[in-house]
Amino acid sequence: MRTSTSLTLFLLLCSLLFSGLTTAQINVSSLPQSSMVPGGIAVVPTGTDAREGRYKNQRITLANYENQQYAIIGIPLNVDIGAAQFELTHMDARTETLQFNIEYKEYAESHLTVSNNRQVNPNADDMVRINRESAEMTQAFSSWSDSLTPVFTMQAPVDGIRSSSFGLKRFFNGQARNPHSGMDIAADEGAAILAPAPGVILSTGNYFFNGNTIILDHGHGLISLYCHMNTIDVAAGTRVETGEQIGKVGQTGRVTGPHLHWSINLNNTRVDPALFLVD
Ligand SMILES: [Zn+2]
């Protein structure tokens, strides 16, 4: 009798411990397109079932697809070309380093004229605001939700002409600025912006460069961003499904006309949104 009780307790403890360790395990119905270039995504089979993964000190998405675990890693635009490493932590706390190879990709230049010169050369007060907003964005992009299962195939958030502008080396009024960190979709002011995949609204706000903005959390480090909106139609904390309206196209912030700027982050890294679109 005593043995049996001990055994039951032991098994109960084991199952609790085991379920605690496996909560980070997710099954997904699709993967993003793998493109091992700066600004792309490395989709790498791990050959195991690791508990956690890290690349450049950021937690990465590990997902089971068709009975195989994959590391889904966002590659920064400013990365070094060649061999790259990421670390896995196994269930038994053992660690392992895996490699993938990053190939060169040429991104074109884009020269834009912005009539409001303050949006190209902000004043000292603007810089205080810009730095504060930049820190807020970085914090949002580095958040991690275990409770949401990411969906890696998305529908375009707006009907319109999709530019292939991700990664463009940009010059505003002749001056070099950061490369373009998202996809621009041209549409009329007021056109509906729809959630491209399920998630929870992480935050909303009005930003110096980005204008009216929504950040949408899809889970496990997959986070999307919607900028220059006319209206924001959802509040932080709202759960949205694919195709649900979250706002309308506008021209708030630094723009040359109405469009949606759409960015996607993995492991706090901006990657090409086209890699998630099926059509
Ligand atoms: Zn843009």
Side-chain angles (χ1 to χ4, degrees):
M1 184 68 187
R2 185 185 285 172
T3 309
S4 159
T5 310
S6 303
L7 186 64
T8 309
L9 269 173
F10 176 73
L11 289 173
L12 184 67
L13 276 171
C14 282
S15 80
L16 279 173
L17 187 65
F18 193 65
S19 67
L21 286 177
T22 53
T23 46
Q25 295 278 312
I26 46 162
N27 296 308
V28 295
S29 53
S30 62
L31 296 169
Q33 197 184 317
S34 189
S35 172
M36 298 185 197
V37 298
I41 304 170
V43 180
V44 184
T46 64
T48 178
D49 66 337
R51 178 171 44 152
E52 196 181 296
R54 290 194 169 261
Y55 169 66
K56 291 185 180 290
N57 233 358
Q58 300 281 334
R59 193 167 173 191
I60 54 171
T61 310
L62 297 177
N64 300 320
Y65 174 70
E66 295 183 342
N67 301 316
Q68 164 74 264
Q69 186 184 61
Y70 291 86
I72 301 164
I73 306 165
I75 306 169
L77 273 167
N78 64 357
V79 77
D80 290 334
I81 304 305
Q85 286 82 32
F86 65 98
E87 287 82 47
L88 293 178
T89 304
H90 293 285
M91 293 296 179
D92 59 4
R94 195 166 43 86
T95 60
E96 184 186 3
T97 300
L98 268 65
Q99 277 206 12
F100 61 98
N101 198 55
I102 300 171
E103 286 174 11
Y104 179 76
K105 179 172 178 178
E106 177 74 31
Y107 286 104
E109 285 185 5
S110 149
H111 293 260
L112 293 168
T113 303
V114 173
S115 55
N116 180 354
N117 191 56
R118 230 177 103 185
Q119 289 176 329
V120 180
N121 293 299
N123 66 32
D125 285 350
D126 295 337
M127 283 314 297
V128 172
R129 179 179 169 191
I130 290 163
N131 290 334
R132 185 185 66 232
E133 293 178 352
S134 164
E136 268 178 47
M137 293 271 174
T138 304
Q139 198 186 5
F141 290 146
S142 58
S143 62
W144 184 277
S145 315
D146 269 324
S147 57
L148 293 165
T149 298
V151 172
F152 292 107
T153 44
M154 301 191 179
Q155 68 173 45
V158 175
D159 258 345
I161 299 161
R162 294 177 212 159
S163 73
S164 56
S165 58
F166 176 87
L168 281 180
K169 299 164 190 160
R170 292 181 308 173
F171 297 81
F172 288 99
N173 303 352
Q175 298 171 53
R177 290 294 180 267
N178 286 335
H180 193 225
S181 58
M183 171 188 279
D184 288 342
I185 306 175
D188 289 340
E189 179 128 21
I193 300 170
L194 312 178
V200 169
I201 306 299
L202 189 61
S203 65
T204 68
N206 180 274
Y207 294 92
F208 186 84
F209 290 126
N210 292 339
N212 291 331
T213 296
I214 289 178
I215 300 179
L216 176 53
D217 186 359
H218 303 283
H220 287 244
L222 180 67
I223 295 167
S224 58
L225 173 78
Y226 307 80
C227 301
H228 312 308
M229 301 170 80
N230 176 334
T231 61
I232 294 170
D233 299 346
V234 283
T238 309
R239 161 115 210 170
V240 294
E241 300 303 330
T242 306
E244 214 170 298
Q245 182 165 335
I246 56 174
K248 296 185 194 74
V249 170
Q251 43 188 328
T252 53
R254 186 175 62 187
V255 293
T256 54
H259 72 279
L260 173 69
H261 171 100
W262 180 39
S263 282
I264 299 196
N265 297 265
L266 275 168
N267 47 277
N268 195 14
T269 299
R270 262 52 81 204
V271 296
D272 188 352
L275 299 171
F276 297 87
L277 293 174
V278 275
D279 54 346

